[in-house]
Amino acid sequence: MAKFDENVEVITKEETKAKVPKKYKVILLNDDYTSMEFVVYVLESIFHKTPTEAHNLMMSVHTTGSGVAGVFSFEVAEMKVAMVTEAARQNEYPLRCVLEEE
Ligand code: TYC
């Protein structure tokens, strides 16, 4: 609280609450045309999965329709989506992934 003159009082309150940054899921979507090998390659190279993790996650996406490849800050998640999309287009696959707020 600061008193400037007889008539005006300015009350200041410090903003102390640190906001927890939101996290975003990168969700891989199934399709009928992308090869299983390519999806495994994407999960290993872009999402740093082990060969076993990549295989299991790929099969889970294949059977259920979607799966979480990873959880990241918005900037990193956006970059992962761009990298997957670019690699898929280079290889002429329709593979898609999307962001979802956690
Ligand atoms: N369904 C694809 C196939 O049978 C494999 C696949 C798995 C594609 C996961 C996309 O995100 C995906 N070749």
Side-chain angles (χ1 to χ4, degrees), residues 28-36 39 58 61-62 95:
L28 206 56
L29 304 176
N30 187 38
D31 67 74
D32 292 340
Y33 304 103
T34 304
S35 75
M36 292 183 168
V39 177
M58 180 281 295
V61 176
H62 176 67
L95 180 63

Side-chain angles (χ1 to χ4, degrees), residues 22-26 70-74 77 99-102:
K22 287 175 187 169
K23 291 284 190 182
Y24 295 82
K25 292 185 276 195
V26 174
V71 179
F72 309 96
S73 68
F74 183 77
L99 287 196
E100 190 180 286
E101 195 181 314
E102 210 184 29

Side-chain angles (χ1 to χ4, degrees), residues 65-80:
S66 67
V68 179
V71 179
F72 309 96
S73 68
F74 183 77
E75 289 76 8
V76 173
E78 241 191 347
M79 182 57 65
K80 300 281 182 189

Side-chain angles (χ1 to χ4, degrees), residues 5-82:
D5 63 39
E6 308 280 74
N7 311 313
V8 183
E9 269 187 7
V10 179
I11 298 167
T12 58
K13 180 169 172 269
E14 272 188 38
E15 187 55 75
T16 51
K17 274 185 194 158
K19 285 181 190 152
V20 178
K22 287 175 187 169
K23 291 284 190 182
Y24 295 82
K25 292 185 276 195
V26 174
I27 299 175
L28 206 56
L29 304 176
N30 187 38
D31 67 74
D32 292 340
Y33 304 103
T34 304
S35 75
M36 292 183 168
E37 292 72 20
F38 183 74
V39 177
V40 169
Y41 160 76
V42 160
L43 290 170
E44 289 178 10
S45 61
I46 299 176
F47 295 94
H48 309 296
K49 302 293 186 190
T50 65
T52 305
E53 287 170 340
H55 177 79
N56 291 343
L57 180 53
M58 180 281 295
M59 285 309 295
S60 170
V61 176
H62 176 67
T63 53
T64 68
S66 67
V68 179
V71 179
F72 309 96
S73 68
F74 183 77
E75 289 76 8
V76 173
E78 241 191 347
M79 182 57 65
K80 300 281 182 189
V81 170

